[in-house]
Amino acid sequence: DGEKLSSHDELMSNFFAQPDALANGKTADEVRAEGCAEDLILHKVFDGNRPSSSLLFPQLSAYVTGQILSLYEHRTAVQGFIWDLNSFDQWGVELGKKLAIDVKDHLTKARYDPKQQPVDIPDAPATSRILNYYVQNGREATENGIGVSVNPLTSVTRKTYREHIPPPIHDLGGNVGKLS
């Protein structure tokens, strides 16, 4: 369908961009320059300088899922109370999505670079580091046959995902895929 990145890589672009939104924020002047309505400017201004953590695992298991859920449930509630911020702020999510467009461009370039040069986003060194880790480990996993499905040229995209549901094969093992 002509798309250069898989749906997974598009989602990962959002993942990599969100820490930039929290770290850098957005001023009222920047929001006005985008042509935002004056009554929404208050909602779209972010101070930045907000710490965040990004966790990247080679494989998602039930154990890792439990760890992530308990960590984030606790962290989201407690930090939101301490820092007096809305942990479920939709305007912040929208800023992350805007920043993800730039990250997506860098990810596309990294995936198709025959020289495999490291990604360098001048205003976002943390994003550059985690993006390079993601790209490099994706290459190593496919080259070494670890069995992790990280093919960047997957045929499943936003336009074709319905053709792949349900998956033709599964890894449930035993009992013909039934739980009991």
Side-chain angles (χ1 to χ4, degrees), residues 58-62 146-149 166-179:
Q59 186 172 2
L60 186 61
S61 65
I146 292 174
V148 180
S149 177
I169 58 172
H170 58 76
D171 60 355
L172 296 176
N175 207 20
V176 195
K178 296 178 183 173
L179 296 175

Side-chain angles (χ1 to χ4, degrees), residues 76-90:
T76 301
V78 172
Q79 289 178 343
F81 296 138
I82 291 172
W83 294 331
D84 191 28
L85 59 91
N86 180 358
S87 301
F88 307 97
D89 178 11
Q90 183 59 38

Side-chain angles (χ1 to χ4, degrees), residues 12 15-16 52-58 64 67-69 71-72 75 130 133:
M12 292 305 291
F15 169 76
F16 297 132
S52 66
S53 298
S54 299
L55 305 174
L56 196 58
F57 298 97
V64 169
Q67 289 178 315
I68 295 169
L69 288 173
L71 171 72
Y72 274 98
R75 199 187 112 175
I130 196 165
Y133 177 87

Side-chain angles (χ1 to χ4, degrees), residues 123-140:
D123 296 332
T127 302
S128 296
R129 283 193 300 275
I130 196 165
L131 189 54
N132 282 316
Y133 177 87
Y134 173 72
V135 170
Q136 186 58 42
N137 283 288
R139 287 183 184 129
E140 288 174 5

Side-chain angles (χ1 to χ4, degrees), residues 83-104:
W83 294 331
D84 191 28
L85 59 91
N86 180 358
S87 301
F88 307 97
D89 178 11
Q90 183 59 38
W91 301 112
V93 172
E94 288 186 22
L95 173 59
K97 287 180 179 181
K98 276 189 164 187
L99 293 171
I101 293 169
D102 185 47
V103 172
K104 186 172 125 177

Side-chain angles (χ1 to χ4, degrees), residues 1-75:
D1 62 357
E3 295 198 29
K4 293 191 177 229
L5 284 180
S6 68
S7 295
H8 179 75
D9 278 351
E10 285 202 37
L11 292 172
M12 292 305 291
S13 295
N14 284 290
F15 169 76
F16 297 132
Q18 194 61 41
D20 289 339
L22 293 168
N24 300 324
K26 193 178 244 188
T27 67
D29 291 336
E30 290 172 326
V31 175
R32 277 190 193 92
E34 293 175 352
C36 181
E38 197 65 35
D39 60 327
L40 292 178
I41 289 176
L42 176 66
H43 300 288
K44 293 190 171 192
V45 170
F46 303 96
D47 293 333
N49 199 25
R50 305 251 176 143
S52 66
S53 298
S54 299
L55 305 174
L56 196 58
F57 298 97
Q59 186 172 2
L60 186 61
S61 65
Y63 183 76
V64 169
T65 302
Q67 289 178 315
I68 295 169
L69 288 173
S70 63
L71 171 72
Y72 274 98
E73 179 179 283
H74 175 75
R75 199 187 112 175

Side-chain angles (χ1 to χ4, degrees), residues 99-166:
L99 293 171
I101 293 169
D102 185 47
V103 172
K104 186 172 125 177
D105 292 340
H106 287 287
L107 181 55
T108 302
K109 182 179 176 185
R111 288 284 192 212
Y112 288 91
D113 183 6
K115 296 179 183 177
Q116 299 183 352
Q117 295 292 320
V119 173
D120 182 24
I121 306 172
D123 296 332
T127 302
S128 296
R129 283 193 300 275
I130 196 165
L131 189 54
N132 282 316
Y133 177 87
Y134 173 72
V135 170
Q136 186 58 42
N137 283 288
R139 287 183 184 129
E140 288 174 5
T142 44
E143 289 167 2
N144 297 332
I146 292 174
V148 180
S149 177
V150 291
N151 183 355
L153 305 176
T154 182
S155 62
V156 181
T157 65
R158 290 177 299 182
K159 295 178 184 173
T160 65
Y161 75 95
R162 285 191 175 97
E163 299 166 14
H164 300 275
I165 298 174

